[in-house]
């Protein structure tokens, strides 16, 4: 007799395949019927956890992206507030030294804004990739369970 699960020849008096551990039931004609156990409760828990992780990561990545994208506008707003304050206190913003400092500040804010935007986009893409992997795990596990159920029904 051969194990229908792995194909190894097994003695007729055994209840489990010594190679793969599948439970064997002898049917009429000496053919073995394999009993495959599925753990649907474990699969359900995996689905729920993977779905929650994927959803949470997607939401979190959008929040991070929006936060990093707003850094540049917040820094520009801060610079404008500083310029208004300088004018209010009577500072000469047309003085070459003051003007040069203001230009350095604008360049620094522009660079920080670009870096923050790039970091935000990078984090967004990484988290989105992780969430897509989690959704793929859910999809693949469901497919495997359906195939296992179909195989179990046939045998």
């Amino acid at each position: 007799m051969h194990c229908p699960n792995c194909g190894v020849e097994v003695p007729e008096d055994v209840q489990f395949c010594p190679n793969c551990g599948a439970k064997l039931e002898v049917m009429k004609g000496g053919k073995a019927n394999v009993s495959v156990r599925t753990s649907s409760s474990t699969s359900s828990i995996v689905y729920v956890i993977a779905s929650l992780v994927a959803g949470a990561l997607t939401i979190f990545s959008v929040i991070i992206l929006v936060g990093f994208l707003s850094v540049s506008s917040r820094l520009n707003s801060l610079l404008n507030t500083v310029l208004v304050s300088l004018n209010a206190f009577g500072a000469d913003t047309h003085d070459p030294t003051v003007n040069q400092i203001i230009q350095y500040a604008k360049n620094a804010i522009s660079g920080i804004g670009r870096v923050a935007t790039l970091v935000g986009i990078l984090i967004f893409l990484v988290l989105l990739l992780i969430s897509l992997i989690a959704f793929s795990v859910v999809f693949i596990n469901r497919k495997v369970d359906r195939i296992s159920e179909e195989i179990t029904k046939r045998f």
Side-chain angles (χ1 to χ4, degrees):
M1 167 172 79
H2 292 281
C3 174
N5 190 43
C6 67
V8 171
E9 189 171 338
V10 294
E12 292 199 23
D13 60 338
V14 296
Q15 293 182 350
F16 296 95
C17 174
N19 186 47
C20 69
K23 184 175 180 181
L24 303 172
E25 297 173 11
V26 179
M27 298 177 64
K28 292 179 184 176
K31 285 189 175 181
N33 185 21
V34 68
S35 174
V36 179
R37 296 179 196 161
T38 59
S39 175
S40 61
S41 63
T42 304
S43 297
S44 297
I45 292 170
V46 169
Y47 298 152
V48 170
I49 291 173
S51 296
L52 289 174
V53 166
L57 284 175
T58 303
I59 292 169
F60 185 64
S61 65
V62 169
I63 291 170
I64 285 179
L65 180 63
V66 169
F68 274 102
L69 291 177
S70 69
V71 166
S72 180
S73 64
R74 289 182 184 185
L75 289 174
N76 281 326
S77 176
L78 177 65
L79 180 62
N80 289 334
T81 303
V82 168
L83 291 175
V84 168
S85 299
L86 285 173
N87 285 331
F89 288 113
D92 184 11
T93 54
H94 298 293
D95 180 17
T97 305
V98 173
N99 202 9
Q100 189 175 13
I101 292 171
I102 291 170
Q103 191 60 41
Y104 284 145
K106 285 181 180 180
N107 290 341
I109 287 173
S110 176
I112 291 170
R114 283 190 211 120
V115 169
T117 301
L118 290 175
V119 168
I121 290 171
L122 182 65
I123 291 172
F124 172 76
L125 291 175
V126 167
L127 291 177
L128 191 62
L129 179 66
I130 292 169
S131 65
L132 286 174
I133 291 169
F135 278 124
S136 298
V137 166
V138 171
F139 178 75
I140 290 169
N141 277 337
R142 286 188 179 179
K143 281 286 193 186
V144 167
D145 281 351
R146 286 184 191 139
I147 292 170
S148 295
E149 287 173 10
E150 186 66 31
I151 290 172
T152 302
K153 286 178 186 175
R154 289 185 184 176
F155 292 107

